[in-house]
Amino acid sequence: MSENLRSRVVTQGVQRSPNRAMLRAVGFSDADFTKPIVGIASGYSTITPCNMGIHILAERAQAGAKAAGGMPQLFGTITVSDGISMGTEGMKYSLVSRDVIADSIETACNAQSMDGVLAIGGCDKNMPGAMIAIARMNIPAIFVYGGTIKPGHYDGKDLTVVSAFEAVGQYSAGKISEDEMVAVEQHACPGAGSCGGMYTANTMSSAFEAMGMSLMYSSTMAAEDVEKADSAEKSAHILLDAIRQHRRPSDIITRQSIENAISVIMAIGGSTNAVLHFLAIAHSAGIPLTLDDFETIRARVPVLCDLKPSGRYVATDLHRAGGIPQVMKMLLVHGLLHGDCLTITGQTIAELLKDIPDQPRIDQDVIRPWDNPLYSSGHLAILKGNLATEGAVAKITGVKNPKITGPARVFESEEACLDAILAGKIQPGDIIVIRYEGPKGGPGMREMLAPTSAIIGAGLGDSVGLITDGRFSGGTYGMVVGHVAPEAYVGGAIALVQENDTITIDAPARRLHLHLSDAELEQRRAQWQPPAPRYTSGVLAKYAALVSSSSLGAVTDLNLQL
């Protein structure tokens, strides 16, 4: 039990703290007052399939905590569905929810003086939100992923939620019928669990496993499988041991373990959002991390897994093929993982991986052998240039034309761009610019899955570029560049682009360039005026006032005036 709580509730003689009376009302007996208080932070919600099975995991975690000698206290935290709000004004709340989740977990745990916390999350922002709080509080903690969804099936193909977005583009381009589009939508999401490809949720869960804050194999388990609930209960046992051994997040979340997580993200072909989230997690942990660090790791780590969105397989296929431990062991034996990093179990990464084979099984092709990777270096590149002096993030593997120069097609919002794509107004060779969608300008940095999927569906994925100060879904692929910083709302160069200006996206050179002289850019900047804030009250207004640049993780506690 924490010293703060013990001082309040453990008294001698006839004096009794009123705190004890209230704790009795929630189930404490005399014997329970000396047990560790374990917070169970549950993201259960029927808002989204990602989180609708979490209540089962929370119940098992509570049972595990009690069996291990702890006193669990269950509390809820929010979630919003990225997939359901995608393409709407509601998507502006998605990244905001990351900080709401972090703040709510920190508030509950510190207000109640909890000795440790087991956080359970499913949808994209649940993972980084929980880990930001865990890093801030530095009380013993473990993360339990709600689990991945199983693939849908139609016409002999595996489907994910991204299939439904792409079907809209295919229908608009006349490639499929309305009946086929509807059939894809009806079959894409068959049950509980987070989006099935190596999109943001599965990327972050995999990274937390690699970082040592979740149990081995847990990040790729299906939400509806028995082993997922078993893993939640086991996680509670591990947490109680960590509490007793005073094993804290600061012992596990280190510069080296974050490098391990980024290496795994590169090897599995993970989401661009991982860049934003790990910058924020590192900030909360007080660990220096920059965009350039991602580029350094990208250059040395091959892509080993053939996973959606650009590949063939989903997370459950990866699980059957050996999961994240198999990928980690391959990186370890080739000197690309820090094996001495501590994990929540008390063992090191190397100790946990000692019995894993050095090479993947030959009866599967989800995980490629080391000498035959999907790509020789990582897929998440940091691009810079006069259009992104602070940096931008792009997926650069799997595109046929890694360098595109073309005329700018400028849109002030995601909706305006989507309308133009569906109306057939975008031509091969165009460079789409979507601006005022950044952390402050959106506010909230919406994901651009609707327009990028429409581009793919229309057959323009290899011939059209897209840049934005917003984000992309983990399901996005193609020649797309996001997180452009500085963003348009603060006067970044993306705000100065005009229709038909020439832009170059050069992935091999990691360059994003607007073909204008410095003098012309300065002249345009002198004439530019910032737009009025889109929100003047409420959470979005507060977020816009506090949030930092995406190049710093879009954190909300960077420049607080005390």
Side-chain angles (χ1 to χ4, degrees):
M1 181 181 291
S2 67
E3 291 302 320
N4 287 343
L5 189 58
R6 181 179 289 111
S7 66
R8 293 209 311 260
V9 303
V10 179
T11 60
Q12 294 180 352
V14 296
Q15 293 183 342
R16 296 286 180 176
S17 167
N19 307 82
R20 290 179 65 135
M22 295 191 73
L23 289 170
R24 288 185 191 280
V26 297
F28 278 65
S29 66
D30 284 342
D32 295 326
F33 287 114
T34 58
K35 295 177 181 177
I37 306 297
V38 179
I40 308 291
S42 171
Y44 167 66
S45 171
T46 57
I47 284 176
T48 171
C50 308
N51 291 49
M52 70 181 190
I54 284 177
H55 63 298
I56 297 171
L57 306 186
E59 289 171 358
R60 289 290 297 275
Q62 287 183 92
K66 284 186 176 180
M71 202 55 195
Q73 291 192 309
L74 175 68
F75 63 94
T77 185
I78 68 149
T79 193
V80 298
S81 174
D82 291 6
I84 295 171
S85 64
M86 196 75 68
T88 74
E89 194 78 357
M91 186 64 195
K92 292 181 178 180
Y93 289 86
S94 169
L95 187 58
V96 176
S97 76
R98 183 189 75 178
D99 288 65
V100 175
I101 292 165
D103 293 349
S104 68
I105 293 175
E106 177 190 355
T107 299
C109 288
N110 284 348
Q112 302 306 123
S113 303
M114 293 176 182
D115 297 291
V117 61
L118 182 150
I120 315 173
C123 201
D124 292 8
K125 306 311 173 295
N126 297 179
M127 276 74 71
M131 200 57 64
I132 288 169
I134 285 167
R136 284 180 192 167
M137 297 183 297
N138 199 32
I139 60 174
I142 192 167
F143 184 81
V144 174
Y145 182 38
T148 183
I149 196 171
K150 294 179 180 179
H153 303 283
Y154 175 70
D155 196 25
K157 297 177 182 177
D158 283 350
L159 302 178
T160 69
V161 66
V162 175
S163 307
F165 282 91
E166 292 179 0
V168 174
Q170 292 169 330
Y171 170 69
S172 298
K175 296 188 173 186
I176 62 173
S177 68
E178 183 177 359
D179 287 345
E180 289 174 299
M181 179 182 69
V182 171
V184 170
E185 175 257 308
Q186 291 173 335
H187 292 86
C189 298
S194 299
C195 301
M198 193 46 68
Y199 310 149
T200 303
N202 285 325
T203 298
M204 295 306 296
S205 68
S206 298
F208 289 177
E209 182 177 322
M211 193 166 61
M213 288 299 297
S214 295
L215 298 187
M216 287 287 183
Y217 294 103
S218 65
S219 67
T220 51
M221 293 174 179
E224 297 177 326
D225 285 353
V226 172
E227 64 177 346
K228 171 47 66 179
D230 291 344
S231 177
E233 184 168 338
K234 182 179 179 182
S235 295
H237 284 264
I238 295 295
L239 176 59
L240 263 296
D241 181 68
I243 292 171
R244 295 186 177 106
Q245 299 301 321
H246 305 289
R247 202 157 47 244
R248 297 178 181 270
S250 57
D251 300 319
I252 300 164
I253 306 174
T254 63
R255 169 69 187 215
Q256 289 72 31
S257 73
I258 289 177
E259 289 182 357
N260 285 350
I262 296 171
S263 294
V264 167
I265 290 164
M266 295 295 177
I268 62 179
S271 167
T272 53
N273 284 309
V275 177
L276 192 76
H277 297 327
F278 267 96
L279 288 170
I281 291 165
H283 166 72
S284 292
I287 297 169
L289 188 71
T290 69
L291 285 175
D292 293 336
D293 293 320
F294 288 85
E295 185 58 38
T296 298
I297 295 172
R298 182 200 70 81
R300 66 189 186 220
V301 177
V303 179
L304 298 171
C305 298
D306 188 4
L307 297 167
K308 291 179 181 294
S310 58
R312 294 179 290 169
Y313 297 105
V314 296
T316 50
D317 296 319
L318 175 60
H319 190 63
R320 287 189 291 270
I324 296 303
Q326 180 62 77
V327 176
M328 291 176 68
K329 183 60 175 286
M330 295 168 69
L331 294 172
L332 179 67
V333 298
H334 289 89
L336 295 175
L337 218 61
H338 302 285
D340 57 349
C341 285
L342 186 69
T343 73
I344 187 62
T345 67
Q347 296 174 284
T348 66
I349 290 290
E351 288 171 339
L352 288 175
L353 296 177
K354 64 182 178 65
D355 295 327
I356 306 295
D358 292 355
Q359 285 287 348
R361 302 194 317 269
I362 61 173
D363 64 345
Q364 59 80 44
D365 57 356
V366 183
I367 306 172
R368 303 282 283 270
W370 187 264
D371 58 2
N372 186 29
L374 208 61
Y375 304 103
S376 60
S377 58
H379 63 303
L380 296 181
I382 306 303
L383 276 57
K384 293 186 177 181
N386 68 350
L387 253 179
T389 55
E390 292 180 11
V393 183
K395 279 186 181 180
I396 64 172
T397 53
V399 293
K400 293 182 179 178
N401 299 307
K403 180 178 179 180
I404 299 178
T405 297
R409 302 297 310 280
V410 182
F411 301 94
E412 308 298 320
S413 70
E414 176 188 5
E415 289 89 348
C417 174
L418 181 61
D419 289 344
I421 297 168
L422 296 180
K425 295 179 180 179
I426 301 299
Q427 303 300 316
D430 286 347
I431 308 290
I432 295 170
V433 178
I434 307 176
R435 62 192 180 193
Y436 296 105
E437 292 284 5
K440 287 183 176 292
M445 210 177 177
R446 286 193 291 183
E447 293 180 351
M448 305 288 124
L449 180 60
T452 58
S453 295
I455 289 169
I456 296 295
L460 296 170
D462 293 320
S463 60
V464 168
L466 188 153
I467 69 171
T468 180
D469 50 8
R471 297 181 296 126
F472 295 118
S473 162
T476 292
Y477 62 103
M479 181 47 74
V480 295
V481 183
H483 307 200
V484 171
E487 63 174 289
Y489 189 80
V490 300
I494 190 172
L496 311 178
V497 180
Q498 296 178 5
E499 190 79 5
N500 291 318
D501 283 348
T502 301
I503 293 175
T504 292
I505 304 172
D506 189 342
R510 297 178 299 284
R511 183 168 170 261
L512 186 61
H513 185 69
L514 176 62
H515 291 260
L516 292 177
S517 67
D518 291 344
E520 175 65 19
L521 278 173
E522 286 308 310
Q523 184 178 5
R524 290 187 184 183
R525 183 169 283 110
Q527 297 172 347
W528 174 81
Q529 293 291 327
R534 287 174 169 164
Y535 298 86
T536 57
S537 64
V539 66
L540 291 181
K542 288 191 289 185
Y543 186 83
L546 292 172
V547 69
S548 74
S549 169
S550 60
S551 65
L552 300 173
V555 298
T556 54
D557 61 350
L558 185 64
N559 298 310
L560 296 180
Q561 299 281 327
L562 300 181

